[in-house]
């Protein structure tokens, strides 16, 4: 039997709400129910924010897609090929060894808190294939992007996301939180056996994942992105080039963009069709969340 859904589904067209539903518990022991504005971890949905931070720095002329990662890494992470560029990292074609790879469990070490922690975790993984050879989804690549952005801007990565993405978009409920000290109105993630996911996530996320957000905030996000309030419009167009993946964003079919994430006790997907203004977001504190609901959300987009 399929597990009951725990999370939020929100579908909007511009200012019109087509569907808004919440189900399950944000905290099972205390019987706190999920609401439409509950905050959830979004796992790799964070990668889109990382891409926008980096694209914003490119738009300012502070680096280029062709900039080599080595130019900012210096002597750090010597196993990364010197030919790896920012574009390789953004498009999952860098070939670098990944500290959090489905082929090499376990996933994220739970002790990750600071940028120095992530830098230490990234070391020791040899290059898997030459840069640009093929697409291979890579979590570590987006941590490297976050570290590069920090070194360019001189401020912590979480502050870069706040000032360059969430504040311009008006996403007041979106921020990096400690997974072991979640505040009110934030869902705890659960595993299949009923345990929480606190030991399966980093304490604080970075460039590859770990931010917390709400379904209504993603309604704001897509509008702000395509209005050019986060990065210039020419870069919004550029990040959508690719067969199935652009610069930090999934491209499930022409004219549609998506951010998605899945982790221990986390399931997230937000899809936007600019031509119709339809946004469909599913966000759950159970990694099994979705199933038939995801197919229903796709129907909203195909019928828009």
């Amino acid at each position: 039997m399929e597990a009951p859904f725990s999370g939020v589904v929100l579908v909007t067209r511009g200012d019109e709400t087509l569907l808004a539903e919440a189900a399950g518990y944000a905290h099972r022991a205390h019987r706190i129910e999920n609401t439409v504005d509950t905050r959830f971890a979004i796992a790799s949905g964070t990668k889109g924010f990382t891409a926008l931070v980096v694209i914003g720095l490119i738009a300012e002329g502070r680096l280029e897609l062709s900039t080599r990662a080595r130019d900012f890494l210096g002597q750090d992470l010597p196993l990364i090929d010197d030919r790896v560029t920012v574009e390789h990292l953004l498009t999952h074609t860098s070939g670098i060894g990944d500290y959090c790879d489905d082929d090499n469990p376990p996933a994220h070490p739970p002790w990750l808190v600071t940028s120095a922690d992530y830098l230490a975790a990234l070391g020791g993984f040899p290059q898997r294939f030459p840069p640009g050879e093929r697409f291979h989804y890579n979590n570590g690549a987006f941590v490297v992007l976050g570290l590069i952005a920090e070194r360019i801007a001189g401020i912590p990565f979480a502050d870069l996301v706040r000032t360059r993405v969430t504040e311009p978009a008006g996403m007041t409920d979106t921020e990096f939180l400690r997974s072991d000290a979640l505040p009110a109105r934030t869902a705890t993630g659960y595993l299949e056996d009923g345990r929480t996911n606190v030991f399966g996530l980093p304490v604080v996320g970075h460039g590859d994942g770990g931010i917390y957000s709400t379904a209504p905030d993603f309604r704001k996000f897509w509008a702000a992105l395509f209005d050019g309030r986060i990065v210039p419009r020419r870069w919004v167009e550029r990040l959508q080039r690719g067969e199935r993946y652009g610069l930090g964003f999934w491209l499930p079919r022409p004219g549609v963009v998506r951010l998605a994430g899945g982790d221990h006790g986390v399931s997230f997907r937000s899809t936007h069709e600019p031509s119709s203004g339809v946004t469909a977001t599913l966000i759950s504190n159970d990694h099994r969340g979705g199933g038939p609901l995801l197919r229903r959300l796709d129907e909203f987009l195909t019928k828009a």
Side-chain angles (χ1 to χ4, degrees), residues 191-215:
L191 309 180
E192 290 185 26
D193 60 6
R195 292 180 298 126
T196 73
N197 63 356
V198 67
F199 296 119
L201 299 178
V203 177
V204 180
H206 207 277
D208 64 334
I211 207 165
Y212 287 75
S213 189
T214 67

Side-chain angles (χ1 to χ4, degrees), residues 64-72 82-86 148:
E64 299 177 356
L65 287 174
S66 60
T67 299
R68 299 185 313 151
R70 181 62 55 207
D71 293 345
F72 291 96
D82 289 347
R83 297 169 294 173
V84 169
T85 66
V86 168
I148 289 172

Side-chain angles (χ1 to χ4, degrees), residues 9-30:
V9 175
L10 178 65
V11 183
T12 60
R13 181 190 291 115
D15 294 332
E16 178 186 8
T17 299
L18 304 178
L19 175 68
E21 295 181 0
Y25 292 98
H27 197 288
R28 294 179 183 175
H30 297 292

Side-chain angles (χ1 to χ4, degrees), residues 6 15 33 41 44 80 89 109 122 153 184 234 269 276 290:
S6 179
D15 294 332
E33 295 182 346
S44 289
I80 290 180
L89 296 169
L122 291 170
R234 69 181 185 277
R269 193 165 88 176
S276 66

